[in-house]
Amino acid sequence: MRKSMEQQKKEKEVEGRRKGERVPHVLVFPFPAVGHVNCMLRLAQLLCLSDLRVTFLHTEYNYDRLRRNPEHVDYFRHWPSFKYRTISDGLPMESPRSAKDLEELWMSMTARTKPLLREMLSSDAGGTEEVTCIIADGILSFAADVGRELGIPTIAFRTVSVCSFWSYFCAPQLVEAGELPFQEDADLDCPIQGVPGMETFLRRRDLSSFLRGKELYSPATAFVLNETQKNAKASALIFNTFEDLEGPILSHVRALRSTIYTIGPLHALIRSKLHEQYPHQSKSFPPKFGTGLCEEDGSYLQWLDSKPPKSVVYVSFGSLTIVTRDELLEFWHGLVNSGKFFLWVIRPDMVSGDGILEDVIPAGLEEGTKERGLMLGWVSQEQVLGHDAVGGFLTHSGWNSTLESIVAGVPMVCWPYFADQQINSRFADEVWGIGLDIKDKGDRRTVEQSVRDLIENKNERLRQSADRMAMLARKAVAKGGSSYDSFDRLIQSIKAAS
């Protein structure tokens, strides 16, 4: 009888102890936002597949949310070498921790979580729970400070794109050259020349929201830029990307820090490793994967199954984007007016002010949605993008979403909200040719036309580029591919340091 994955893992651990081997124990510590947690949970899963012990450090607030999702807790019972641990982020449990409150969360963690982390790791030293390596979110550099104090090797993991990271790193030079700051009413199509590798296509409007207008002087921007400068001094850096996607920009970053591991797209690398190690079980296990922090609505699968191939546009603006009532109505009109099927994720907290779904909705929108649309609070995005019925993705251009769309070969309409998303959308359109960048627009006519272009395949280059990039992503995570080999080097480095 074929052994389960759990049985095989336990047998490996017993054999390792019999031989007297010390199994490395990695602490994975993400910034507590859904996108960051999602990315680093995938890394934790890969580390478990590589026979390492893994402790995933959640904030108490996020773990409290996680416990309400028994499906996710059950998911990780398949990984005997994995466990959760919690730490305070320093904020009251009732604090909202929305996109508008991230600055407060950053400051609180730096001031209050750092000493708690030092105490935790110090108390574990010399015992069975001793941590031999820390992989910390690249915007939590205090974890690296603690690691150095205690002699624990620490690796920084930036969960954003390399192109975004590089633009942050070059911000001081842009200030020195007079390209930053610029006024909020300035010409946003003015070229930016001071980011090496992007001189021919980068515009003011493509810079992060942190670098626009008065935001350049905000504590949040200062924090992000300072953390990025510290990353250049890290012993090693991990990026969720692959060489064929961001190689030209990676060459600039490597001039600062030669030890860089490009191990993405992580969700595709997981599938590759599962198939390699468990060829008879990898298709059925794991069935799906998520952070567990958002409750999913599974009613969409039957709806998608009833639709023709590549006829549906999937719409999601991620876990943090906030829109106004007027912005949401513009998107809604554009989707209905396009005449295409649409599956739209609208979080309960996505609309600023009063909930739009409780207001009086124009009759045309209600009728059009009943005929061709489905609105839900949250879905398994990887599962949706991989469905044959989905032919386009209207996205906020978050990095996880961008990579998931690339692997699925689904072209995008990009409407970025903040942080790294502005530059991601520019690269998707101008550099990679896999998306339509509609940043700073979002009116109903633009949305309608863009959706039609995707679903009716009016831009043949877009579909061809998406297919080609999907092929390159799959090649990167296959055995012998750039991300596959880079991940193996990471594992060897962790084991050697332990």
Side-chain angles (χ1 to χ4, degrees), residues 196-318:
M198 305 183 195
E199 300 92 339
T200 61
F201 58 85
L202 194 67
R203 308 162 299 179
R204 284 174 174 168
R205 73 170 69 250
D206 304 318
L207 292 173
S208 166
S209 59
F210 293 137
L211 302 180
R212 292 192 183 193
K214 63 182 181 181
E215 292 301 321
L216 185 62
Y217 302 104
S218 72
T221 297
F223 180 87
V224 170
L225 298 186
N226 186 47
E227 295 293 284
T228 300
Q229 295 297 317
K230 288 181 179 180
N231 291 156
K233 301 176 183 178
S235 60
L237 267 173
I238 300 172
F239 285 104
N240 183 17
T241 191
F242 57 103
E243 299 291 332
D244 282 323
L245 183 67
E246 296 195 275
I249 304 303
L250 275 163
S251 65
H252 292 282
V253 179
R254 284 195 171 103
L256 306 172
R257 171 55 55 194
S258 58
T259 307
I260 290 177
Y261 300 102
T262 53
I263 61 173
L266 280 168
H267 69 291
L269 183 58
I270 290 171
R271 290 205 298 265
S272 178
K273 290 284 187 178
L274 280 170
H275 179 72
E276 179 182 60
Q277 294 186 31
Y278 309 98
H280 302 293
Q281 302 175 59
S282 60
K283 290 185 178 180
S284 59
F285 179 88
K288 64 177 181 177
F289 175 77
T291 62
L293 300 179
C294 300
E295 186 175 352
E296 295 177 6
D297 186 329
S299 62
Y300 56 87
L301 281 178
Q302 187 176 358
W303 186 85
L304 285 174
D305 289 342
S306 69
K307 302 298 179 286
K310 299 189 184 305
S311 64
V312 177
V313 60
Y314 167 57
V315 187
S316 176
F317 297 132

Side-chain angles (χ1 to χ4, degrees), residues 7-51:
Q7 287 174 319
Q8 294 175 61
K9 284 290 180 186
K10 286 182 177 179
E11 287 179 3
K12 286 182 180 180
E13 287 186 1
V14 171
E15 179 65 15
R17 286 195 296 269
R18 186 183 67 79
K19 294 179 178 179
E21 296 173 354
R22 184 188 190 194
V23 179
H25 181 193
V26 183
L27 181 76
V28 179
F29 187 16
F31 180 75
V34 172
H36 293 245
V37 171
N38 188 355
C39 191
M40 295 189 75
L41 263 176
R42 285 168 169 165
L43 174 62
Q45 186 179 357
L46 279 164
L47 296 175
C48 290
L49 282 170
S50 302
D51 301 323

